[in-house]
Amino acid sequence: MAAALVLAGCSPEPSAPGAAPSTTPATTGPTAAQQGCVPDPAAVVKAPPQNRTAGLPAALVGELDAAVAAAFAETGAPGAVVGVSNDRGTWVKGYGLANAATGEAMPANAHTRVGSVTKTFTGTAIVQLDAAGALSLDDTISEYRADVPNGDRITLRMLSNMTSGVASYTFNEQFLDTMFSDPSQSFASPDLIRIGLADSPSFEPGTSFEYSNTNTLLLGSVVEQVTGKPLATVVNESIITPLGLAETSWPGTSPEMPEPYAHGVTQQGRDDGSLQDPTHWNPSWGAAAGEVISTVPDLLAYGHALATGQGILDPAAAEKRLTEFPAGKAAYGTGYACYGGWVGHEGTLPGYNTHMVYDTASNTTAVVAVNSDIHAGACTPGSPTPQDLSDRRCLSPAVRILIPLTKALGHELVPPGS
């Protein structure tokens, strides 16, 4: 069998590369607002605009730069782009190399593949249609298609918060072998969905949590059915264009990257742990769950909009979305996650690892984009550890940078289990 394919993101129980998707009991009871994940949703939707033109104070930039530089050295990644934005100003900086083979430095505006951050776009499109009355998050998926096991008991909300019991196609061994045998090939979303449905159900709807890419592809199919348009068109019209995200794109089956771009490195698809460059692999297998290409400056603007709803959701819908996390300080909601007040998503695609988060307490967006998806720390045997990190938790490179970055900002994001 080929090495497991990672199209992962920020979930209550992140896994090491190749691990089975996390399955944890679904939580019930008080909302996140009552539990403190987002202390004041009403205030979040009224947050002031962030300052995209001024720089952050020099003293703060010095602290952020030092924290990131130390953490970046531990990742072993070729390069990274890191950005922070709030109402005082914006700071974005590239570290290391965009192309390890040529020695090209990492530019601050480098395009990278953002993986499962794509789920936030698909999830937002569903929330927009719910707010417009075109569908309801409480609709069952059987109202839109008849091929989903337990579909009459699986709501769109369950698909959005990963409690549906629908299995992820990315953990199907036959699919993995096929994909890695020729990463240039194209995949159609209906075929990917069929793979996940054939392995379903993983559990009874609403009883557990399991991060599943098939969930998001099903949501994408609903968006297309309701609107009569391709999902990429809907996302462009309702999110990307209104927010002015000129460097964000949905590539479809094209393996090309906009200039300037970072070349990724990965071990995925290699059982021996050797490295390869997956930069121009066909991204179509990610579909509604992982195709998007973007830059850190664009994600800084998008992260603010995702949390506040400004520019893409009316205040009532945005505020409601912030209260729909299961009880607890670390939870997955309607297409994104919340960790102690930080709202956003991690994304991993072969060669790339991105984390975009927004601090609902300080109106601050932080983004880390790395051109490597290789974890470091107490990971699987053979994984490179650039320094002796064997006594430390196995973390993705973006998370390893994000933790000290947010600590320097005064509100440390602590992943579950840390």
Side-chain angles (χ1 to χ4, degrees):
M1 185 194 81
L5 185 64
V6 180
L7 175 52
C10 195
S11 71
E13 296 289 342
S15 299
S22 58
T23 305
T24 56
T27 53
T28 58
T31 65
Q34 294 168 309
Q35 289 290 307
C37 191
V38 180
D40 192 349
V44 175
V45 302
K46 299 174 184 176
Q50 294 180 334
N51 190 333
R52 309 288 176 204
T53 57
L56 290 174
L60 176 60
V61 168
E63 293 177 13
L64 299 177
D65 187 31
V68 171
F72 171 65
E74 292 184 340
T75 67
V81 182
V82 180
V84 172
S85 186
N86 57 32
D87 49 304
R88 292 187 293 172
T90 298
W91 168 73
V92 182
K93 182 177 179 178
Y95 294 81
L97 303 177
N99 188 336
T102 65
E104 177 189 352
M106 179 70 81
N109 62 340
H111 293 82
T112 64
R113 300 189 187 277
V114 302
S116 287
V117 176
T118 304
K119 291 180 173 69
T120 67
F121 289 91
T122 304
T124 298
I126 282 286
V127 173
Q128 288 174 327
L129 292 172
D130 174 78
L135 54 75
S136 170
L137 284 167
D138 295 319
D139 291 344
T140 62
I141 187 62
S142 64
E143 296 175 51
Y144 300 93
R145 50 191 305 153
D147 58 344
V148 181
N150 295 328
D152 60 338
R153 295 185 287 129
I154 295 173
T155 65
L156 302 185
R157 191 183 310 277
M158 290 176 184
L159 294 170
S160 298
N161 63 25
M162 306 292 180
T163 61
S164 70
V166 174
S168 183
Y169 63 91
T170 49
F171 281 87
N172 178 281
E173 293 185 10
Q174 184 175 353
F175 166 73
L176 295 176
D177 289 337
T178 299
M179 187 272 171
F180 284 123
S181 70
D182 179 12
S184 68
Q185 65 190 298
S186 295
F187 291 90
S189 289
D191 295 332
L192 298 171
I193 290 172
R194 278 193 286 271
I195 294 169
L197 296 184
D199 292 337
S200 301
S202 297
F203 52 82
E204 285 295 298
T207 63
S208 294
F209 173 94
E210 182 175 280
Y211 191 84
S212 169
N213 295 295
T214 312
N215 284 335
T216 311
L217 268 61
L218 286 169
L219 291 175
S221 74
V222 171
V223 171
E224 294 183 336
Q225 183 175 337
V226 170
T227 64
K229 300 176 181 180
L231 177 62
T233 300
V234 174
V235 168
N236 271 299
E237 292 178 349
S238 66
I239 303 173
I240 293 175
T241 297
L243 295 179
L245 306 180
E247 304 304 322
T248 300
S249 59
W250 200 292
T253 60
S254 172
E256 299 306 312
M257 293 276 283
E259 296 280 355
Y261 64 88
H263 279 257
V265 295
T266 189
Q267 294 174 317
Q268 293 195 59
R270 295 282 178 86
D271 292 322
D272 61 1
S274 59
L275 300 178
Q276 57 181 327
D277 181 345
T279 305
H280 297 296
W281 286 5
N282 192 309
S284 59
W285 65 269
E291 274 194 29
V292 166
I293 294 170
S294 192
T295 65
V296 166
D298 264 20
L299 292 180
L300 287 172
Y302 176 55
H304 179 268
L306 176 67
T308 65
Q310 294 172 15
I312 52 177
L313 284 174
D314 65 68
E319 183 176 344
K320 180 181 179 184
R321 191 180 189 187
L322 288 168
T323 68
E324 290 188 339
F325 299 100
K329 291 188 176 182
Y332 200 91
T334 50
Y336 61 165
C338 180
Y339 296 121
W342 289 96
V343 174
H345 215 291
E346 184 179 7
T348 301
L349 210 67
Y352 301 93
N353 181 218
T354 303
H355 215 318
M356 175 191 75
V357 289
Y358 172 87
D359 182 15
T360 59
S362 66
N363 189 33
T364 299
T365 310
V367 179
V368 178
V370 185
N371 57 340
S372 169
D373 62 332
I374 302 170
H375 289 48
C379 302
T380 54
S383 294
T385 51
Q387 298 181 18
D388 184 10
L389 305 180
S390 59
D391 61 340
R392 296 171 59 182
R393 186 184 179 199
C394 180
L395 292 174
S396 66
V399 172
R400 189 167 295 283
I401 294 171
L402 185 67
I403 293 172
L405 175 69
T406 57
K407 185 176 182 179
L409 288 168
H411 181 192
E412 184 177 0
L413 186 154
V414 181
S418 294

